Every structure is written in structure tokens, then in C-alpha cells.
Amino acid sequence: MKQNLVIVIAICILFGFEASSQSFTLGAPGNIVINNGDTITVAGTTNDFDLFGHLGLTNYSSSVKSVMILKEELSLVPFCDVTFQFGIWMYPPMVYTTPQGFDVAAGATDSSFHTAYTHYGNAGTSYVKYTFFDENNPLDKAWMVFKFEIT
């Protein structure tokens, strides 16, 4: 009985490590590594039409991952819009979670993500958080914040 308990505990520990391991890393153009919680500032003026942010997502696991994205508008200047694209899909301002995953191959980096901040001439600072997560294991994720500054 004691031996069975030890085996069950060992399996739970191993499964727990696998379930909580991080398969993804984020990067900005120029091979800049982005850690969870990092903020990237994108600055412009009211004369600029849109501001853009680009990211690469690397899948360090040994299997294909179906990646979804959660967009959170932490603080948004009134009357501004935030859109994003991942894979072949472009998402309008009212979409906060992608409706389906986009496959990223094992060991591959996908650089298709970009976000567009449309300010319509309104000055101010907005913060938008993006979380990239495994559709089949939402605890397996990477996230960062874009800070959009319009002067």
C-alpha cells in the first residue's frame, strides 16, 4: 500500500511539472527577448495614422501547439481602437479572445502577430496586455504589455 502511494505521488509530481511548464517565449524584432510581464513602448504623435507592434512567438516544446490569444485593454484612451492579427486572421477591436487556435510547430517561431493602435487624433497613453496560451492547456502561456504613447 505504501509503495502504491509513493508511485501515485511520483506520477502526480511529474504530471504537475509537465502541466505547468512553459512552452512559449516572446520576442520583438531584432531578436529581443521579452519576458513575461515586460512592457514594450510604441510612441507616436497625433499626426501618425496608426501605431504598430510586432512579436514573434517561439514554441520550445516537442509538439505542435494550438495557440490562442487573449487581449486585455488595461487602460485605453477614450475613442481609440486596438486590433490584432495572428496567423492568417485579423481580429477587430471587439474581439478579446481568438475563437480558435493557430498551430505553431514544435521548435518553430511564428512572426505573424502584430497589433495596430488607432488613436483618431486623441493624445494619451494606453496599455494593452496580450497573453498567448496553449488552447489545450491555458496555464502554458507567455504574456506582455504594449504601451502606446501618443503626443
Side-chain angles (χ1 to χ4, degrees):
M1 180 71 155
K2 188 175 182 180
Q3 184 180 18
N4 289 340
L5 181 60
V6 170
I7 292 171
V8 169
I9 291 172
I11 290 171
C12 289
I13 289 171
L14 288 174
F15 178 75
F17 283 135
E18 178 63 28
S20 65
S21 66
Q22 186 173 333
S23 300
F24 307 115
T25 60
L26 298 172
N31 294 321
I32 298 169
V33 175
I34 300 170
N35 297 308
N36 282 341
D38 282 356
T39 298
I40 295 178
T41 300
V42 182
T45 70
T46 55
N47 294 326
D48 297 324
F49 181 67
D50 283 340
L51 297 183
F52 297 97
H54 302 272
L55 294 175
L57 172 80
T58 301
N59 174 5
Y60 281 103
S61 77
S62 59
S63 61
V64 172
K65 296 286 184 176
S66 180
V67 179
M68 296 182 70
I69 298 175
L70 170 65
K71 174 183 78 172
E72 296 175 77
E73 296 171 350
L74 303 177
S75 173
L76 199 62
V77 172
F79 309 110
C80 294
D81 288 325
V82 181
T83 60
F84 66 98
Q85 178 176 339
F86 187 55
I88 61 171
W89 304 104
M90 178 72 97
Y91 300 97
M94 71 287 283
V95 173
Y96 293 91
T97 303
T98 54
Q100 73 280 333
F102 180 77
D103 286 347
V104 178
T109 298
D110 182 283
S111 298
S112 65
F113 176 86
H114 78 265
T115 183
Y117 178 77
T118 305
H119 54 81
Y120 303 106
N122 297 300
T125 302
S126 295
Y127 294 88
V128 181
K129 177 181 174 183
Y130 284 101
T131 302
F132 299 76
F133 62 95
D134 181 346
E135 180 178 19
N136 300 308
N137 178 10
L139 297 177
D140 189 5
K141 61 189 173 188
W143 64 279
M144 57 77 59
V145 175
F146 276 106
K147 176 182 178 183
F148 296 102
E149 291 182 332
I150 301 293
T151 55

